[in-house]
Amino acid sequence: MSLRKDQYDSIMLEYSKTRDRNRHLLEARRDEVYHKIPSYRALDEETPGLGMRMLEEALKDAPEASPDSSAAVSPVPAASRSGLRQTLLGLSARKKQLLLDAGYPENYLDPVYDCPDCRDTGYIGFEKCHCLRQKEIEILYDQSHIREQVKNNNFGTLSHSYYQGEDLARFVKAEEASRSFASDFGTSFRNLYLYGTVGTGKSFLSHCIAAELLKQGREVIYFSASGLFDKIAKLSFDYRTKEEFAEFTEDIYSADLLIIDDLGTEFNNSLVASALFTLINERILRRKPTVISTNLSMEELQNRYSDRVFSRIVSAYDIFHITGFDIRVQKKRRSGSLR
């Protein structure tokens, strides 16, 4: 699915504003350092002159063509150029030490980028950067809500206070698996299937994983099951959207991580069962990790979809059963809003 021109232009404008913001931040840092460390500014002002002298020496040392032949004249010895290079390296080391002595990190005045890979341009050479792909995904598939969710739902805000006994043991096991899933992402192929009663933290853990992967710059597509299969149904039944459907499914199959939340809440029919199997199977074949959360028991999963879906999940997913009392109800009781 391609972006409209206005959508693409909006993203490029966002990149431009990001570069401006980071340039102003770097300028503010430099002013701060110059004020606090006057000797740093003096060293900084020496650097351009030395660089120009190095360039001049390099031009003098360059071979010149003979007037009556294509043979090159032997270059002038480059001892002076080597000395200038050592002087520049020495200046750089002294500046880093000045920053460290003043309590700054040595890279405090390095260029600032939100995405160092593409330097906030959206492209690495002629290829789209992962950060641009994620921006496209968020626009094309209405993923903005996941950004809002992960601000509050992440490993930093996780609490065990809503669990006791066996419920706590089960949640901790699922939490540890979620943490290792995120930290080992890209080095090992795993899928997670989180199931259990309503309000016990399954979606929360999937949000935690999404938060970590987004920080890593990975492509994350997050859908509720009802939203995902509604979109598949709409695109597959309209002959005018054949190309759009192909692009959508390719994105779903190839994204670094796909999260399907609340499996079982969608309207169920043969199309859903077939699409779910194809999606799961295709991502396994491509070794693209998937996280699924659901209130369905394993028996309900098998009965609702098919033996093929059940078999693929059992054989290719790490399965965790999360139990307990509804956390949303517990929060209301603790706040006094539920009597």
Side-chain angles (χ1 to χ4, degrees):
M1 299 172 67
S2 301
L3 292 174
R4 299 191 311 269
K5 183 180 183 302
D6 64 302
Q7 292 173 322
Y8 178 81
D9 289 346
S10 176
I11 291 177
M12 290 300 106
L13 178 60
E14 182 183 341
Y15 276 118
S16 178
K17 290 180 177 178
T18 297
R19 293 193 298 272
D20 287 342
R21 168 172 50 81
N22 286 335
R23 184 174 63 254
H24 292 321
L25 172 60
L26 182 59
E27 290 170 355
R29 287 182 176 182
R30 185 175 291 110
D31 290 343
E32 174 192 355
V33 168
Y34 283 176
H35 177 74
K36 189 171 182 179
I37 318 171
S39 55
Y40 188 100
R41 180 171 192 163
L43 292 177
D44 231 7
E45 290 172 348
E46 285 185 47
T47 304
L50 286 170
M52 286 300 298
R53 287 172 59 190
M54 275 194 68
L55 178 60
E56 290 169 359
E57 292 293 334
L59 291 174
K60 284 195 295 184
D61 288 352
E64 295 180 3
S66 173
D68 53 359
S69 75
S70 59
V73 178
S74 298
V76 177
S80 59
R81 188 173 58 191
S82 176
L84 286 171
R85 183 181 297 109
Q86 291 302 315
T87 302
L88 275 173
L89 290 173
L91 279 177
S92 177
R94 287 161 62 191
K95 289 197 293 185
K96 288 180 179 179
Q97 191 60 51
L98 285 173
L99 289 173
L100 291 172
D101 291 344
Y104 295 106
E106 65 176 29
N107 64 346
Y108 188 64
L109 293 182
D110 287 355
V112 179
Y113 302 111
D114 283 14
C115 179
D117 294 333
C118 69
R119 298 186 176 186
D120 298 333
T121 65
Y123 287 88
I124 302 174
F126 295 104
E127 298 292 325
K128 290 180 181 179
C129 183
H130 55 79
C131 64
L132 175 54
R133 281 291 300 130
Q134 186 62 38
K135 291 177 186 296
E136 289 181 329
I137 284 169
E138 291 173 5
I139 290 176
L140 291 172
Y141 307 131
D142 191 24
Q143 301 284 287
S144 57
H145 65 286
I146 189 59
R147 289 281 185 184
E148 293 303 313
Q149 291 281 3
V150 301
K151 288 179 182 178
N152 298 315
N153 296 350
N154 53 68
F155 288 124
T157 62
L158 185 149
S159 172
H160 294 155
S161 64
Y162 301 101
Y163 305 91
Q164 294 180 354
E166 183 63 25
D167 297 336
L168 176 59
R170 285 178 171 171
F171 181 80
V172 167
K173 190 174 180 181
E175 176 200 342
E176 290 173 348
S178 299
R179 288 182 183 274
S180 64
F181 179 94
S183 62
D184 298 339
F185 198 89
T187 61
S188 62
F189 173 63
R190 296 175 62 193
N191 302 291
L192 294 184
Y193 186 85
L194 310 173
Y195 80 100
T197 48
V198 174
T200 50
K202 303 180 298 298
S203 296
F204 183 92
L205 287 178
S206 69
H207 292 157
C208 291
I209 292 170
E212 293 302 308
L213 270 291
L214 288 170
K215 284 193 292 187
Q216 294 176 26
R218 305 285 186 171
E219 294 174 16
V220 178
I221 297 183
Y222 188 106
F223 268 107
S224 67
S226 58
L228 174 61
F229 293 113
D230 280 352
K231 193 168 191 70
I232 289 175
K234 289 175 182 177
L235 291 175
S236 61
F237 285 128
D238 189 341
Y239 73 92
R240 294 168 298 181
T241 60
K242 184 177 180 180
E243 183 177 343
E244 187 178 352
F245 178 65
E247 291 176 352
F248 172 72
T249 53
E250 178 58 27
D251 283 346
I252 293 296
Y253 297 157
S254 63
D256 292 338
L257 176 65
L258 173 66
I259 298 177
I260 305 175
D261 197 19
D262 280 335
L263 184 67
T265 58
E266 75 286 348
F267 179 76
N268 190 33
N269 54 33
S270 58
L271 171 67
V272 168
S274 175
L276 178 60
F277 174 77
T278 301
L279 186 158
I280 289 173
N281 192 59
E282 187 66 29
R283 288 188 62 83
I284 290 172
L285 292 175
R286 298 189 187 199
R287 298 186 67 78
K288 294 292 186 179
T290 306
V291 174
I292 297 176
S293 70
T294 180
N295 297 332
L296 299 175
S297 68
M298 298 307 293
E299 182 180 3
E300 289 170 330
L301 171 72
Q302 186 173 20
N303 292 337
R304 182 178 177 89
Y305 301 103
S306 66
D307 290 338
R308 293 193 309 165
V309 169
F310 180 79
S311 175
R312 285 312 249 163
I313 288 177
V314 169
S315 63
Y317 282 64
D318 295 338
I319 299 173
F320 296 92
H321 186 198
I322 304 177
T323 56
F325 297 104
D326 190 326
I327 292 173
R328 289 179 286 268
V329 174
Q330 292 187 64
K331 286 182 176 180
K332 287 184 177 180
R333 284 177 175 164
R334 291 183 183 186
S335 68
S337 60
L338 183 66
R339 301 294 181 184

Coordinates of all heavy atoms in Angstrom, one line a residue, residues 1 25 37-38 43 57 62 64 73 77 79 88 109 113 138-139 195 198 202 205 224 244 251-252 260 262-263 267 325:
M1 N 0.8 -1.2 0.0 CA 0.0 0.0 0.0 C 0.9 1.2 0.0 O 1.7 1.4 0.9 CB -0.9 0.0 1.2 CG -1.9 -1.2 1.3 SD -2.8 -1.2 2.8 CE -3.8 0.2 2.7
L25 N 19.7 21.8 19.1 CA 20.1 21.2 20.3 C 21.7 21.2 20.4 O 22.3 21.5 21.4 CB 19.6 19.8 20.4 CG 20.1 18.9 21.6 CD1 19.8 19.6 22.9 CD2 19.5 17.5 21.5
I37 N 33.7 26.1 29.3 CA 35.1 25.7 29.1 C 35.7 26.6 28.0 O 35.7 26.2 26.8 CB 35.2 24.2 28.7 CG1 34.3 23.3 29.5 CG2 36.7 23.7 28.7 CD1 34.2 21.9 29.0
P38 N 36.2 27.8 28.3 CA 36.7 28.7 27.3 C 37.8 28.1 26.5 O 38.0 28.4 25.3 CB 37.2 29.9 28.1 CG 36.4 29.9 29.3 CD 36.2 28.4 29.6
L43 N 40.5 25.7 21.2 CA 40.9 24.5 20.5 C 40.0 24.3 19.3 O 40.5 23.9 18.2 CB 40.9 23.2 21.4 CG 41.9 23.2 22.5 CD1 41.7 21.9 23.3 CD2 43.3 23.2 22.0
E57 N 48.5 20.8 1.8 CA 49.7 19.9 1.7 C 49.3 18.8 0.8 O 50.2 18.3 0.0 CB 50.1 19.4 3.1 CG 50.6 20.5 4.0 CD 52.0 21.0 3.5 OE1 52.7 20.2 2.8 OE2 52.4 22.1 3.9
A62 N 50.1 16.0 -4.5 CA 49.4 15.2 -5.5 C 50.3 15.1 -6.7 O 51.0 16.1 -7.1 CB 48.1 15.9 -5.9
E64 N 51.7 15.3 -10.5 CA 51.3 16.2 -11.6 C 51.7 15.5 -12.9 O 52.7 14.8 -13.0 CB 52.1 17.5 -11.5 CG 51.8 18.4 -10.3 CD 52.6 19.7 -10.2 OE1 53.3 19.9 -11.2 OE2 52.4 20.4 -9.3
V73 N 54.7 12.9 -12.1 CA 55.9 13.3 -11.4 C 55.9 12.7 -10.0 O 54.8 12.8 -9.4 CB 56.1 14.8 -11.5 CG1 57.3 15.2 -10.7 CG2 56.1 15.3 -12.9
P77 N 57.6 14.5 -0.5 CA 57.5 13.7 0.8 C 56.4 14.4 1.6 O 56.2 15.6 1.7 CB 58.8 13.9 1.4 CG 59.8 14.1 0.3 CD 59.0 14.9 -0.8
A79 N 55.8 14.3 5.0 CA 56.1 14.3 6.4 C 55.3 15.4 7.1 O 54.8 15.3 8.2 CB 57.6 14.5 6.6
L88 N 46.1 17.3 14.6 CA 44.6 17.2 14.6 C 44.1 16.2 15.6 O 43.2 16.4 16.3 CB 44.1 17.0 13.2 CG 43.9 18.2 12.3 CD1 43.5 17.7 10.9 CD2 42.8 19.1 12.8
L109 N 29.3 16.8 22.0 CA 29.2 17.7 20.9 C 29.2 17.0 19.5 O 29.4 17.7 18.5 CB 30.3 18.8 20.9 CG 30.2 19.7 22.1 CD1 31.3 20.8 22.1 CD2 28.8 20.4 22.2
Y113 N 21.2 12.8 16.3 CA 20.3 12.2 15.4 C 19.2 11.4 16.2 O 19.6 10.7 17.1 CB 20.9 11.3 14.4 CG 22.0 11.9 13.5 CD1 23.3 11.6 13.7 CD2 21.7 12.9 12.6 CE1 24.3 12.2 12.9 CE2 22.7 13.5 11.8 CZ 24.0 13.2 12.0 OH 25.0 13.8 11.3
E138 N 2.7 3.1 10.3 CA 1.8 3.8 11.3 C 0.7 4.6 10.6 O -0.4 4.7 11.1 CB 2.6 4.6 12.2 CG 3.5 3.8 13.2 CD 4.4 4.7 14.0 OE1 4.3 5.9 13.9 OE2 5.2 4.1 14.8
I139 N 1.0 5.1 9.4 CA 0.0 5.9 8.7 C -0.9 4.9 7.9 O -2.1 5.1 7.9 CB 0.7 6.9 7.7 CG1 1.4 8.0 8.4 CG2 -0.3 7.4 6.7 CD1 2.2 9.0 7.5
Y195 N -2.2 -16.8 26.5 CA -3.7 -17.0 26.6 C -4.1 -17.0 28.1 O -3.2 -17.3 29.0 CB -4.1 -18.2 25.9 CG -3.9 -19.5 26.6 CD1 -4.9 -20.2 27.3 CD2 -2.6 -20.1 26.6 CE1 -4.7 -21.4 27.9 CE2 -2.4 -21.3 27.2 CZ -3.4 -22.0 27.9 OH -3.2 -23.2 28.5
V198 N -9.7 -12.9 31.2 CA -9.8 -11.5 30.8 C -9.0 -10.6 31.8 O -9.1 -10.8 33.0 CB -11.2 -11.0 30.7 CG1 -11.3 -9.5 30.5 CG2 -12.0 -11.8 29.7
K202 N -2.2 -10.0 29.4 CA -1.7 -10.5 28.1 C -1.4 -9.4 27.1 O -0.3 -9.3 26.6 CB -2.7 -11.5 27.5 CG -3.1 -12.6 28.5 CD -4.1 -13.6 27.9 CE -5.4 -12.9 27.5 NZ -6.1 -12.3 28.7
L205 N 1.7 -7.3 28.2 CA 3.0 -7.9 27.8 C 3.3 -7.7 26.3 O 4.4 -7.4 26.0 CB 3.1 -9.3 28.2 CG 3.2 -9.7 29.7 CD1 3.2 -11.2 29.9 CD2 4.4 -9.1 30.3
S224 N -5.5 -5.4 16.5 CA -6.5 -6.3 17.1 C -7.0 -7.3 16.1 O -6.9 -7.1 14.9 CB -7.7 -5.5 17.6 OG -8.4 -5.0 16.5
E244 N -3.7 -3.4 -3.8 CA -3.6 -2.9 -2.4 C -3.6 -4.1 -1.5 O -2.8 -4.1 -0.5 CB -4.7 -2.0 -2.1 CG -4.7 -1.4 -0.7 CD -5.8 -0.4 -0.5 OE1 -6.6 -0.2 -1.4 OE2 -5.9 0.1 0.7
D251 N 3.2 -6.7 3.6 CA 3.6 -6.0 4.8 C 3.4 -6.9 6.0 O 4.2 -7.0 6.9 CB 2.9 -4.7 4.9 CG 3.5 -3.6 4.0 OD1 4.6 -3.8 3.4 OD2 2.8 -2.6 3.8
I252 N 2.2 -7.5 6.1 CA 1.9 -8.3 7.2 C 2.8 -9.5 7.3 O 3.2 -10.0 8.4 CB 0.4 -8.8 7.1 CG1 -0.6 -7.6 7.2 CG2 0.1 -9.9 8.2 CD1 -0.5 -6.9 8.6
I260 N -0.8 -9.8 17.2 CA -2.3 -9.9 17.0 C -2.9 -10.0 18.4 O -2.6 -10.9 19.1 CB -2.6 -11.2 16.2 CG1 -1.9 -11.2 14.8 CG2 -4.2 -11.3 16.0 CD1 -2.2 -12.5 14.1
D262 N -6.0 -10.0 21.2 CA -7.4 -10.5 21.4 C -7.9 -11.4 20.2 O -9.0 -11.2 19.7 CB -8.4 -9.3 21.5 CG -8.3 -8.7 22.9 OD1 -8.0 -9.4 23.8 OD2 -8.6 -7.5 23.0
L263 N -7.1 -12.4 19.9 CA -7.6 -13.4 18.9 C -8.8 -14.0 19.5 O -8.9 -14.4 20.6 CB -6.5 -14.4 18.7 CG -6.8 -15.5 17.6 CD1 -6.9 -14.8 16.2 CD2 -5.8 -16.6 17.6
F267 N -15.2 -11.6 14.1 CA -16.3 -12.5 13.5 C -15.7 -13.7 12.8 O -14.8 -13.5 12.0 CB -17.1 -11.6 12.5 CG -18.2 -12.4 11.9 CD1 -19.4 -12.7 12.6 CD2 -18.1 -12.9 10.6 CE1 -20.4 -13.4 12.0 CE2 -19.1 -13.6 10.0 CZ -20.3 -13.9 10.7
F325 N -7.2 -12.4 38.6 CA -8.3 -11.6 38.6 C -8.1 -10.4 37.7 O -7.0 -9.9 37.5 CB -8.6 -11.1 40.1 CG -9.0 -12.2 41.0 CD1 -8.0 -12.6 42.0 CD2 -10.2 -12.8 41.0 CE1 -8.3 -13.6 42.8 CE2 -10.5 -13.8 41.9 CZ -9.6 -14.3 42.8

